[in-house]
Amino acid sequence: MTHKEYKALRHEEQTSLLCKTGVSIAERKVGPYLVGLFQVDGFYVEVFYDKHSYQMIKLMSFYNTTLLEPYLSDIDVSGLLKSTY
């Protein structure tokens, strides 16, 4: 599925597809929200939850990797940098 096709779906369909095929990548806290980052096919979806009730507030999908910047400082890549020689 393309990002454009995903955006054309109703909210309920987007949520269902995210639950079925989305891969959880990271999460972060933003003000009163807990934000989960998921990858779906070739694009990303952020899910905003209320920090206290864990109720889903909104979905935001994107394919622009510059929007991944807030997550990069929390990703540990040290294991990838170890030499195998």
Side-chain angles (χ1 to χ4, degrees), residues 36-54:
L37 177 66
F38 295 83
Q39 183 175 20
V40 179
D41 294 331
F43 59 93
Y44 302 93
V45 179
E46 283 186 311
V47 181
F48 290 74
Y49 300 94
D50 178 274
K51 267 198 264 190
H52 304 290
S53 69
Y54 294 104

Side-chain angles (χ1 to χ4, degrees), residues 8-63:
L9 297 174
R10 293 186 337 251
H11 177 77
E12 295 80 15
E13 294 170 317
Q14 289 179 352
T15 302
S16 177
L17 183 70
L18 179 64
C19 291
K20 290 177 185 172
T21 64
V23 176
S24 178
I25 298 175
E27 61 181 42
R28 63 190 175 114
K29 293 179 183 174
V30 179
Y33 304 110
L34 177 61
V35 184
L37 177 66
F38 295 83
Q39 183 175 20
V40 179
D41 294 331
F43 59 93
Y44 302 93
V45 179
E46 283 186 311
V47 181
F48 290 74
Y49 300 94
D50 178 274
K51 267 198 264 190
H52 304 290
S53 69
Y54 294 104
Q55 179 180 353
M56 184 186 299
I57 305 298
K58 72 175 182 172
L59 299 175
M60 185 180 90
S61 62
F62 58 92
Y63 61 89

